[in-house]
Amino acid sequence: MSETATSNGTIAVAKPQLNQLNSDGHLRYGKMLIDGEWVEAADGKTFDAIYPGTGETIAKVASAGKEDVDRAVAAARRAFEGGDYKKMNGADRGKLLWKIADLMEQNIDELAELETLNNGKPLLESRRVDLPQSINCFRYFAGWAGKVSGQTIETDMNMRALAYTLREPVGVCGQIIPWNFPIQMATWKIAPALACGNTVVIKPAEQTSLSILRLGELMQEAGMPAGVVNIITGDGPTTGAALVAHPDVDKIAFTGSVEVGKLIMRTAADSLKKVTLELGGKSPNIIFADANIEFAAKVALSGIFFNQGQMCTAGSRILIEEAAREEFMEVLAGRAAKMVVGDPLDPKTRMGSLINEEQMNRVLGYIQKGTDEGANLLVGGERVGENGYFVTPTVFDRVKNEMTIAQEEIFGPVASVITFSDIEEAAAIANGTRFGLAAGVWTNDLKKAHLFAQKVKAGTVWVNTYNMTDNALPFGGYKDSGFGRELGQASLDAYTQIKTVLVDLN
Ligand code: NAP
Ligand code: MG
């Protein structure tokens, strides 16, 4: 147990018990999956996988270079154009997706532990939220496999004609995902791609490859033909960039920051790849005075502090109507101050470590900026301990929407509370950033709720709840939060293309 004590408090983080060790004392996940084989990088390069709870190295993972990316794309192309996968019909692919879900369920404890070990999030959340939702994602898309169909269309041509559309897969899909929900982001991308008959080359974030590599093993166990899903591990500028630039990749699905999203779009333009982007957010959670204030405050708390605030949908701007401010702040600040940051692997912990030192320093930098620009630091604002990357839940009030902490995505446990006096002002503030991923609105007035849902520019609006996603509900952004939708029936558009067939019957 490595105990760390500072003026900011103490935190006792147990040394992780690593099962399945290699002779070097690390976890066994060192290879990547290309064409159905577990391989090292062609040049033998590796990088360290870190346990954020203690900062120690837990695995050495293969670092894919251009040559490895080329091999993975070639394998995905071969699998797409012919072989066992091509022979599978929709029902077969559905069965395969369902089998993967079953195997994930059988190995849920191990997968949840790996997720926490590699990300630093509380084990309770990995086990109860991330994994069940990922498993359900495969089952949801198993249901779609074979049910994606075209239309017959009547024309007004001066001939007897039969016109119809075919919905065909896009081809080889490059998928690049972030570190905040590693296995969930992987399943959001892999499952719909396979349901529609595509093949995949996926690149996890460098920080979090392990659960996805284990998922690769389970996919093989389920009977996935070689080359259908390839997992290439490595960093963005090398591995990710090679995948985006590759001329034989048909589509890039990306989740991550706005800056990298723009870079990807520019590069993808050269080979005219289809692109979908799920980017950042600065989502407003708007509480009107007529709402159930105590409940709204409790949910607002998890809306920002779940996953240590490292969420694209984090309710990071809390907008409270002046008349209810006092009552709301008492609950919000009181509860935030009592939240305990603890050992990620302790099943009782609700708040774990941030992903790494860089992210922690970024978050602490924003907290400093909030104070410098005149916001009132009400709760938290500090690192806890000296090992790992723990930051206390932080609440600023008296925030103005033009302040940096209200405009930029912090991606950490920092809530900015802003006051408003009427629905017009609330809407102006809510829409007053470059982002548009999600929003929450709290009111008991039905008309106000629906009016607000129309006014706010966001891909998802929650009414009297926050942060509830479901595999059946389309998810994606307005404005700089990106375009394209994942999950739900809408996601099938991103993984299929339409072919029109016109038959002359004269
Ligand atoms: P990031 O730096 O943009 O990285 C995302 C992914 O892109 C990683 O796999 C990264 O690889 C890769 N990458 C970096 N540079 C690249 C390049 N030049 N070419 C190709 N790929 C490249 O974002 P992050 O820091 O990991 O994640 C946080 C961001 O993701 C936040 O802005 C958050 O809002 C966003 N996010 C959005 C959603 C959503 O659904 N809208 C969900 C979750 C997160 P390496 O990290 O290995 O270098
Ligand atoms: Mg990054």
Side-chain angles (χ1 to χ4, degrees):
M1 185 160 295
S2 69
E3 180 132 350
T4 112
T6 66
S7 60
N8 304 335
T10 62
I11 196 163
V13 180
K15 199 172 162 50
Q17 300 296 308
L18 304 179
N19 297 320
Q20 305 162 320
L21 294 180
N22 275 334
S23 54
D24 63 359
H26 293 140
L27 283 167
R28 64 185 168 81
Y29 300 95
K31 295 181 178 170
M32 54 194 163
L33 181 61
I34 297 179
D35 204 8
E37 306 284 333
W38 291 95
V39 296
E40 289 171 0
D43 61 8
K45 276 197 186 141
T46 63
F47 62 92
D48 290 358
I50 309 280
Y51 172 44
T54 58
E56 69 190 279
T57 297
I58 52 172
K60 298 264 183 200
V61 183
S63 180
K66 187 177 174 307
E67 195 181 323
D68 306 298
V69 174
D70 286 348
R71 273 178 32 232
V73 173
R77 174 59 59 195
R78 274 194 305 276
F80 181 72
E81 301 297 347
D84 292 346
Y85 184 62
K86 198 80 184 165
K87 288 184 209 133
M88 291 169 76
N89 60 29
D92 295 334
R93 292 200 307 279
K95 270 191 235 160
L96 180 62
L97 291 174
W98 200 274
K99 182 92 185 285
I100 294 167
D102 285 346
L103 287 171
M104 287 174 81
E105 204 157 55
Q106 285 162 28
N107 292 277
I108 191 168
D109 289 326
E110 184 198 349
L111 284 165
E113 193 184 49
L114 263 183
E115 195 75 329
T116 286
L117 274 175
N118 208 182
N119 172 279
K121 65 174 68 198
L123 185 60
L124 186 84
E125 289 176 10
S126 301
R127 177 65 180 74
R128 296 225 186 125
V129 183
D130 299 39
L131 261 301
Q133 289 197 1
S134 303
I135 292 164
N136 287 341
C137 184
F138 274 107
R139 295 210 170 113
Y140 174 78
F141 284 104
W144 272 116
K147 299 187 188 71
V148 181
S149 47
Q151 295 174 301
T152 54
I153 302 172
E154 219 165 296
T155 69
D156 59 3
M157 278 179 252
N158 288 329
M159 64 186 223
R160 287 179 58 196
L162 168 65
Y164 62 93
T165 56
L166 296 170
R167 286 276 290 263
E168 299 187 334
V170 172
V172 174
C173 300
Q175 306 183 325
I176 299 177
I177 56 174
W179 43 258
N180 58 344
F181 293 96
I183 199 157
Q184 210 174 341
M185 291 298 105
T187 58
W188 281 24
K189 289 191 167 41
I190 295 172
L194 298 188
C196 297
N198 300 278
T199 57
V200 166
V201 179
I202 188 166
K203 190 202 92 63
E206 187 187 11
Q207 297 84 350
T208 51
S209 314
L210 303 188
S211 58
I212 297 156
L213 292 170
R214 179 70 183 117
L215 175 62
E217 292 179 342
L218 297 176
M219 287 180 175
Q220 287 191 302
E221 198 179 324
M224 178 83 68
V228 174
V229 175
N230 304 273
I231 304 169
I232 48 167
T233 45
D235 69 17
T238 315
T239 317
L243 185 61
V244 177
H246 200 295
D248 206 27
V249 171
D250 298 299
K251 172 199 163 64
I252 294 287
F254 171 76
T255 297
S257 61
V258 174
E259 287 61 38
V260 175
K262 286 181 182 173
L263 201 67
I264 283 178
M265 218 174 143
R266 279 189 209 109
T267 310
D270 284 337
S271 48
L272 278 177
K273 288 183 177 62
K274 291 162 187 65
V275 176
T276 46
L277 302 174
E278 300 279 10
L279 307 176
K282 193 72 196 176
S283 300
N285 191 6
I286 303 122
I287 297 109
F288 287 99
D290 65 60
N292 178 339
I293 295 299
E294 192 182 347
F295 183 56
K298 285 184 197 163
V299 177
L301 211 69
S302 67
I304 174 63
F305 296 133
F306 184 77
N307 210 36
Q308 297 68 246
Q310 301 168 133
M311 280 177 301
C312 50
T313 52
S316 52
R317 291 185 302 146
I318 299 174
L319 276 55
I320 177 76
E321 190 167 3
E322 185 63 54
R325 189 182 166 276
E326 216 167 295
E327 184 189 352
F328 180 83
M329 289 312 289
E330 210 177 292
V331 183
L332 186 85
R335 283 183 165 252
K338 285 200 202 108
M339 284 180 82
V340 182
V341 182
D343 181 347
L345 288 165
D346 180 339
K348 291 188 293 296
T349 294
R350 295 298 175 98
M351 246 183 116
S353 172
L354 299 186
I355 188 72
N356 58 21
E357 188 172 6
E358 182 191 350
Q359 182 67 7
M360 178 186 71
N361 289 334
R362 202 171 152 253
V363 170
L364 293 172
Y366 273 115
I367 293 170
Q368 184 60 48
K369 204 150 201 169
T371 308
D372 292 348
E373 290 182 10
N376 180 36
L377 177 59
L378 206 60
V379 180
E382 293 174 318
R383 180 179 187 182
V384 191
E386 283 166 352
N387 295 322
Y389 316 107
F390 300 87
V391 174
T392 47
T394 301
V395 179
F396 278 101
D397 78 346
R398 308 274 176 213
V399 175
K400 300 262 177 292
N401 199 46
E402 53 285 0
M403 289 178 180
T404 306
I405 56 168
Q407 288 295 319
E408 294 184 16
E409 183 176 49
I410 299 175
F411 227 57
V414 184
S416 297
V417 181
I418 305 172
T419 309
F420 67 89
S421 47
D422 60 36
I423 188 168
E424 294 309 326
E425 192 190 5
I429 297 171
N431 290 330
T433 74
R434 65 178 175 141
F435 296 108
L437 191 59
V441 52
W442 294 79
T443 175
N444 280 322
D445 178 340
L446 203 60
K447 203 166 125 187
K448 201 193 274 180
H450 289 295
L451 269 176
F452 207 88
Q454 292 182 9
K455 277 177 188 292
V456 73
K457 295 188 173 89
T460 297
V461 180
W462 289 293
V463 178
N464 293 337
T465 184
Y466 199 86
N467 240 348
M468 305 289 283
T469 56
D470 186 278
N471 292 304
L473 300 177
F475 181 86
Y478 275 36
K479 294 159 61 179
D480 281 12
S481 294
F483 51 83
R485 291 293 176 268
E486 297 195 289
L487 302 181
Q489 188 174 2
S491 67
L492 306 172
D493 292 341
Y495 286 102
T496 53
Q497 49 193 344
I498 294 175
K499 180 182 280 175
T500 299
V501 183
L502 176 67
V503 187
D504 183 345
L505 296 181
N506 286 310

